[in-house]
Amino acid sequence: MRSTVFPLQNTWLFLLFLSLVMLIATAWHAPMSGDEHVHKVQAEKNIRYLKTFGKDKEALDTPISRLKHYGQSFDTLTIWLADSWNIDNVYRFRHVSNAVVAWLVIVFTSLTAMFVTKNKLAAIIAVLLMLVTARFMGHAMNNLKDVPFALAFIFSIYFMLKFIDQLPVISWKYFAFIVLGTAFGISIRIGGILIAAYFILFCLLQLYYLYNSETVTGKTLYRSLVQIADLGFLLIICACLLGILCWPWALENPLKNPLESMELMNHYPTTVRQVFEGKLYWSDKFPWYYLTKYLLITLPIISLLGFLAFMGLFFNLSSHRTRVFSVLLLLAFGFPLFYAAATGANVYGGWRQMLFVLPMFTVLAATGIWALYEKIKHKKTMTLIAVAVGFLALFHPVRHIVVNYPYLYIYFNELAGGVKGAYGNYELDYYFTSYRNAYRFVDEQKPTGVVAANFIIPEYYENKAYLPALIDYYDRSAVNWDYAIIANTFLNPYQLKHGYWPPQNTVYEEKVDGVPILAVVKRATSNDLAGVELLEKGNYSQAVDQLKKALQIDSLNESTILYLAKAQVKTEDISGAYKTLKRLDRSYPDNEWGLDLRGEIAFSRAKYAEAEDLFRKNISHNHRFHHSYLNLATLKLYQGDTTQSIGILKDCLRLNPFYEPAYHLYGKILVAQGEESLGGKMLEFSIEGPGKYGKK
């Protein structure tokens, strides 16, 4: 007995120690994520709010980031500690702190597996599965929102299982831990209240099981149900009160504002456009199976096999207790995924926002592998085969972690064909971690002009001789820059798959498994910028000359092609514009501005059916391409169909309530119909203020 138990105990402790070392080591040199700057700034605002007892209200002013709706307690804590301890490298401190939290996630995942199975081997397997989950290891370095939130869940669920294991006896010690875990979850984001719902559900299911198994009488059941109702209410009250202590927005109105934040999280308004299954989707329009598919192609195969083993061997689990607790974990893992699919939740970046379900899944996978081992351990040949398969399944994620540091979270398993198979089919560096190496390269070039990027991380520009500029890659000709740093996030998958990205004049690439996730582009000519400026000034012929010169140097520049076609339209060279736009058929056939401009040309030449087809095609391809709504509404108005024109404008404004041109056209229609008061207000609408017109 002793010779079996102590080696497992020592192995378990050693693996936990090793995992802590690994996590801190990977976090020590970790790059910043794209979210970190805004979270750090918000944490500083939160601290000022708390220090001034609510007098400094800058923390409540977050119209773009909406971070006032997040408690983000862990972000705030790390900044407060860094300031208190005079730590110079704030981001390294944040990363290491997050690594310790990630380690605690592993610890409690392992403890949960041990508690469910009453076996240390399952606990060891759980540690190994977490360590080879490359996406978790990547987020463990610099994701101070989703990783602590995952800790809140697995910490609470561990003590929840211990609590219900004591029922009908009430353990106040375990209940206190559940309150702390739930409060910690709420303090990060309001969705932590789900833990309280799990508590009530788990207790009710356990009492139902005890009653059916005649472990408790009807009288005891009734008394226990009353107790659980009281405890559930107490949990919600205590956890909410503790959870909002460092959350400025909630402190302003503890009843109304958390509910408003919950509503916002259920219908999150910010959408991003990302690649999924080789197509561009807005995040509120992903297929219902988006999260499930992402889990299938990004979790290590060994974990998926373990989960399949759990499902297949469920009724062979050694005890009824293990089966009951496993069902509870299955509910905790599956419900958020089901809810997101059923409600069409606005999720993006893979399952990052669902990182909190990973520990429960891992416990189930570890339980499955342990159950399989228990079933075949007396069959030597089968055991050897199973071990060999296990080691083979570990090779792929382990290799990725070792070879592709620090891009651990850019992992796709064998089902997706690895990172190479995912290239152009799924988003890769959606967290912009590759920017650090790109700026290091740019710094070596000693530029003194403008360094643009398709995402700005302000810290990379501090104390530098060059200036920042945020650019849309597909409008790069209209911006002044010397170097452009372009992550392939949000880019068109056709271009990625067919080799049209990275573009010409790329001087540096950052790669993962041989495929580029970022390119640094050096500007080859300023003729394109000069042409755009001339076009805006109305010097159309000169603009054409400059833009043609630019295309002689950078022939596949989509931005230059579009501006040249626009300039040619202005010079009434329609055939030339058509010919120019045909160049997009090679490198970017679904370019929305190209299709929209073709529709405008067809409209101007009285080809109304062709124009309508092009505008509608654009809208079906990208339902948020507002300019085609405006053009289509204008076309229908020209054809005398005022009702349909107004309907199109309403659809446009539902998608973008700040699109001025749609308001102005709608206003003109209303004025013409005699509704001068409302129409006049729409004509005056401007995001810059009443009576001021924004850009046309």
Side-chain angles (χ1 to χ4, degrees), residues 153 157 160-161 164 194-195 197-206 208 307 310-311 314 322-340 354 356-361 363-364:
F153 266 79
I157 284 176
M160 215 177 286
L161 295 178
I164 66 174
L194 177 61
I195 299 171
Y198 281 164
F199 171 77
I200 297 170
L201 175 64
F202 284 14
C203 289
L204 292 177
L205 291 174
Q206 177 71 349
Y208 176 76
F307 186 75
F310 162 77
M311 298 298 288
F314 175 78
T322 301
R323 291 195 292 274
V324 170
F325 287 168
S326 296
V327 168
L328 298 180
L329 288 169
L330 188 60
L331 286 171
F333 161 68
F335 173 75
L337 300 176
F338 170 78
Y339 180 82
M354 291 284 174
F356 66 93
V357 306
L358 174 66
M360 286 81 83
F361 173 86
V363 172
L364 297 174

Side-chain angles (χ1 to χ4, degrees), residues 378-562:
H378 299 298
K379 301 175 182 179
K380 187 175 180 180
T381 302
M382 290 187 67
T383 302
L384 289 174
I385 292 173
V387 170
V389 170
F391 274 105
L392 285 174
L394 287 172
F395 174 78
H396 194 264
V398 170
R399 177 200 165 277
H400 177 87
I401 291 170
V402 173
V403 172
N404 292 308
Y405 178 84
Y407 309 118
L408 308 188
Y409 87 99
I410 307 176
Y411 176 75
F412 289 86
N413 63 29
E414 296 91 327
L415 296 178
V419 176
K420 288 184 178 179
Y423 185 69
N425 291 311
Y426 304 94
E427 290 293 348
L428 299 184
D429 191 18
Y430 59 83
Y431 235 22
F432 300 99
T433 53
S434 56
Y435 272 35
R436 182 181 64 180
N437 287 349
Y439 280 100
R440 286 176 176 175
F441 170 82
V442 170
D443 289 344
E444 293 173 358
Q445 314 311 307
K446 303 186 184 304
T448 56
V450 177
V451 175
N454 61 345
F455 188 89
I456 293 293
I457 300 178
E459 280 77 1
Y460 289 135
Y461 288 92
E462 288 182 355
N463 304 316
K464 302 290 177 64
Y466 50 80
L467 299 172
L470 178 65
I471 63 169
D472 176 352
Y473 174 70
Y474 293 117
D475 195 29
R476 59 192 182 278
S477 290
V479 180
N480 178 32
W481 51 270
D482 300 298
Y483 288 90
I485 299 174
I486 309 296
N488 68 8
T489 302
F490 313 139
L491 298 188
N492 186 275
Y494 177 91
Q495 292 198 304
L496 301 178
K497 290 181 178 181
H498 292 83
Y500 293 108
W501 191 90
Q504 293 175 237
N505 309 309
T506 292
V507 292
Y508 175 83
E509 294 180 31
E510 191 74 358
K511 295 184 177 182
V512 173
D513 279 350
V515 299
I517 60 172
L518 172 144
V520 177
V521 184
K522 185 176 182 180
R523 191 162 208 146
T525 175
S526 60
N527 293 113
D528 55 345
L529 178 60
V532 173
E533 291 174 346
L534 288 166
L535 176 61
E536 291 176 347
K537 292 176 182 178
N539 299 325
Y540 304 129
S541 296
Q542 295 178 53
V544 169
D545 292 339
Q546 290 292 327
L547 292 165
K548 283 184 175 180
K549 288 178 181 177
L551 282 178
Q552 289 175 357
I553 298 170
D554 190 0
S555 62
L556 294 177
N557 189 318
E558 309 86 1
S559 180
T560 306
I561 290 171
L562 282 166

